[in-house]
Amino acid sequence: LIIFRNIISSSREIVSFKEGTMVLEIGHGSGSWLMEMNKEFPDAKYVGVDISGTIPDDRASNITYEFGNIVKGLKYPDVSFNFINVRHLVYALSVDEWHVALKEILRLLKPEGCAQLTE
């Protein structure tokens, strides 16, 4: 397992991050991961959801920040995202909540997509 910048190396073999690629970050916090990804892959579209509802001041036109709670379900249609990133939620969710969150991630992920969960 090798992390190259913001993405696990094997994820780059699955998702191209070209124009039309939809990327979701669950628990975007400060938005730093989304902003770094946008610098590396400016043709993709990015959505960050966070329970805090925080919207960073510095944002690009292809990044959207929204309030969302993975455990209560997100408003997006099934199979909406090519890549889903989840970081720093290991202590935020109970075991039962993780089951719900993982089902929601699988619902949102396109069949040829990839989810990355790191801590």
Side-chain angles (χ1 to χ4, degrees), residues 66-115:
E66 299 179 356
F67 173 82
N69 184 335
I70 187 71
V71 176
K72 293 186 178 179
L74 300 175
K75 67 179 185 177
Y76 311 106
D78 295 355
V79 298
S80 294
F81 295 95
N82 303 90
F83 189 81
I84 299 176
N85 185 57
V86 182
R87 292 189 311 170
H88 309 304
L89 287 185
V90 72
Y91 296 114
L93 302 178
S94 69
V95 171
D96 290 338
E97 289 173 326
W98 268 110
H99 289 281
V100 173
L102 291 172
K103 284 181 184 178
E104 184 69 352
I105 289 166
L106 291 174
R107 181 187 73 78
L108 295 170
L109 197 60
K110 291 183 178 184
E112 71 282 3
C114 181

Side-chain angles (χ1 to χ4, degrees), residues 28-55:
H28 68 72
S30 69
S32 63
W33 184 87
L34 292 166
M35 289 182 272
E36 289 174 17
M37 284 293 292
N38 185 49
K39 287 178 187 172
E40 191 171 355
F41 304 105
D43 295 327
K45 293 190 186 269
Y46 300 91
V47 177
V49 295
D50 196 285
I51 197 167
S52 72
T54 302
I55 299 176

